[in-house]
Amino acid sequence: MTIETAPFRPVTDGSQPANNTPSYGSTLLRHPKQAALRIPHTITEATGPAFTAARFAAIPDLSVMNGRQAQGERIIVRGRVVDESGRAIPHTMIEIWQANAAGRYDHPGDQHDAPLDPNFHGNGRVFTDAEGWYQFISIKPGAYPWRDHYNAWRPNHIHYSLFGDGFAQRLITQMYFPGDPLLALDPIYLSVPDTAARERLIATFDLDITSPEWALGYRFDFVLRGRNATPLESA
Amino acid sequence: MSTATANQTIGPYWHLIEDPIWADLTRFGAQGERIVLTGTVTDGAAAPVSDAAIEIWQSSPEVSDSFPAFGRCRTDPAGSFRFVTLKPGPVPGPGNAQQAPHVAITILARGLLNGLTTRLYFQDELLNETDPVLSLIENEARRSTLIARKVALDTWHLDIRLQGDAETVFMEI
Ligand SMILES: [Fe+2]
């Protein structure tokens, strides 16, 4: 394995949410008030963990447990992981978690009065191929209420965690579904200032990914931070 | 060319992907100086942050089949976390500078739309005096928010404060 050590390019203004987002109440006591210290990218920021499918078993189908089908609308999600230069990120791990079709997480902290599904747990893990493509199968997660403000509901969404190949590329995000009327009301989705950056969090319905008489297909691509052309001086 | 995908909060239900064994970075048989890193995370009201994911990454010792150099641990109801890992050594910094032994930390939680990045340094390391990142922090009290206290022969402890008095120094990387 080659360890890349070039530093990453700076974050583009407006493309990331502000940690201080008053409409999302949980940020109030949790966002730092001091400005973040800008530090040079050293070997610590430029390198990162390597997860292999051999050691971290893939879970590419969330829609079946113990051979039994989960309730809900079966979906296929497919896309690519690339960096800001469009370069594929091969063999990288994607962690996936979501609510069931009724909008309930199989998690002790979720007290929403919607049914659990004995055939759905809601965690997955896939790896990109040599060209950066990934795919998994699931069911469409339901919307669920939360207590951010009166009558607040999260839009349908799937949570993702990606590592890339450098610590500074770490990405935790959520994927939304096209046409969801709750998007216009959701302070988490709306926390991304730039409209285009925000709308890239919405998957695209894709008839080519859709499997006849079996599952609807959605396309969703991830872009991780790109590296500068020149490696670290000390590398 | 497009910009990186926007971050969204990890939320309160990230434990669905949790494997508690990830908090032990020595589980694959790593050889070296085994240490324990403990800490707490509190918010602007000094209340424990009990639903966070704490992730650590080390550039030393180098990642290998026996040492993942990466760990993840939940905070408990008291806001506490605990890792078992190997003690890092110095690593190269910008130019000819040496970096003091350190561990990179990411804090992910409900209410954090972006993960917060910081570093853990070790009390009483001579290289702390000249570390190129610590040296960027002029205020001594602020700098000390990154220095873990030695609380036992093999254990260091760091209190992370997201907001307020003695707020931890977070970094833009
Ligand atoms: Fe969620």
Side-chain angles (χ1 to χ4, degrees):
Chain A
M1 188 185 75
T2 45
I3 295 181
E4 291 235 42
T5 51
F8 292 95
R9 294 205 291 261
V11 174
T12 305
D13 280 347
S15 68
Q16 295 294 341
N19 277 323
N20 179 15
T21 296
S23 55
Y24 174 23
S26 295
T27 67
L28 291 178
L29 287 170
R30 292 189 167 188
H31 76 274
K33 293 197 168 171
Q34 305 270 351
L37 176 73
R38 188 186 281 255
I39 66 168
H41 286 183
T42 74
I43 186 169
T44 304
E45 290 72 34
T47 59
F51 297 93
T52 62
R55 189 164 264 175
F56 300 92
I59 309 168
D61 187 350
L62 290 71
S63 75
V64 176
M65 262 183 71
N66 305 319
R68 295 212 176 88
Q69 280 290 333
Q71 295 285 338
E73 184 179 314
R74 195 184 291 117
I75 59 171
I76 301 166
V77 182
R78 183 185 298 170
R80 285 188 88 201
V81 182
V82 298
D83 71 13
E84 289 172 311
S85 311
R87 197 185 60 142
I89 305 194
H91 313 299
T92 198
M93 184 170 80
I94 305 175
E95 296 175 292
I96 304 156
W97 72 104
Q98 63 168 82
N100 70 19
R104 176 87 184 264
Y105 285 90
D106 187 10
H107 183 290
D110 187 355
Q111 298 299 313
H112 174 33
D113 182 21
L116 285 166
D117 180 343
N119 301 325
F120 188 80
H121 181 51
N123 81 309
R125 179 191 287 147
V126 292
F127 291 82
T128 57
D129 68 13
E131 277 80 47
W133 287 94
Y134 76 92
Q135 174 177 304
F136 67 92
I137 295 160
S138 191
I139 50 95
K140 187 173 178 181
Y144 59 84
W146 62 313
R147 292 182 179 153
D148 184 69
H149 53 273
Y150 174 70
N151 211 4
W153 293 77
R154 292 298 328 278
N156 310 63
H157 64 276
I158 297 180
H159 294 264
Y160 296 105
S161 145
L162 288 85
F163 293 85
D165 48 23
F167 178 71
Q169 277 182 322
R170 189 85 175 93
L171 173 68
I172 305 283
T173 192
Q174 301 180 27
M175 179 192 92
Y176 302 96
F177 288 84
D180 191 333
L182 294 170
L183 286 169
L185 305 171
D186 183 50
I188 295 179
Y189 171 71
L190 296 173
S191 70
V192 182
D194 181 72
T195 307
R198 193 162 66 228
E199 290 177 350
R200 282 197 286 124
L201 296 178
I202 305 173
T204 312
F205 171 70
D206 192 321
L207 196 59
D208 291 330
I209 298 172
T210 298
S211 179
E213 296 177 45
W214 195 70
L216 292 175
Y218 290 91
R219 172 76 187 259
F220 191 69
D221 294 338
F222 297 94
V223 182
L224 303 185
R225 287 174 72 184
R227 291 182 190 265
N228 284 329
T230 44
L232 297 177
E233 300 166 57
S234 56
Chain B
M1 199 184 111
S2 61
T3 59
T5 304
N7 294 311
Q8 297 275 268
T9 179
I10 200 168
Y13 305 128
W14 68 271
H15 307 89
L16 285 174
I17 57 164
E18 183 190 28
D19 186 346
I21 206 169
W22 285 26
D24 182 356
L25 287 74
T26 65
R27 67 190 184 278
F28 299 122
Q31 301 294 310
E33 186 185 344
R34 187 179 172 281
I35 61 168
V36 177
L37 301 178
T38 62
T40 62
V41 184
T42 49
D43 70 11
V49 173
S50 57
D51 53 8
I54 309 302
E55 296 184 343
I56 62 171
W57 162 248
Q58 303 178 209
S59 52
S60 166
E62 207 175 306
V63 59
S64 70
D65 281 347
S66 64
F67 185 62
F70 174 87
R72 179 157 67 202
C73 183
R74 68 160 74 191
T75 52
D76 68 13
S80 302
F81 60 87
R82 181 180 187 274
F83 291 96
V84 177
T85 187
L86 298 183
K87 180 101 191 285
V91 292
N96 293 320
Q98 282 267 82
Q99 299 191 70
H102 65 275
V103 173
I105 299 179
T106 306
I107 298 136
L108 301 156
R110 170 180 64 85
L112 294 178
L113 286 159
N114 307 280
L116 298 176
T117 302
T118 186
R119 283 183 170 198
L120 178 154
Y121 286 85
F122 297 84
Q123 181 185 3
D124 297 333
E125 288 280 348
L126 279 176
L127 281 169
N128 288 348
E129 306 304 317
T130 53
D131 179 83
V133 170
L134 285 177
S135 302
L136 295 172
I137 311 165
E138 282 163 27
N139 182 298
E140 169 70 34
R142 294 274 291 147
R143 196 159 59 233
S144 71
T145 65
L146 305 183
I147 315 284
R149 297 192 321 274
K150 189 167 185 170
V151 292
L153 208 55
D154 63 349
T155 305
W156 280 262
H157 182 91
L158 186 71
D159 291 315
I160 298 170
R161 297 176 187 89
L162 300 185
Q163 191 188 85
D165 291 341
E167 181 177 304
T168 294
V169 173
F170 296 102
M171 293 151 195
E172 181 182 334
I173 63 168

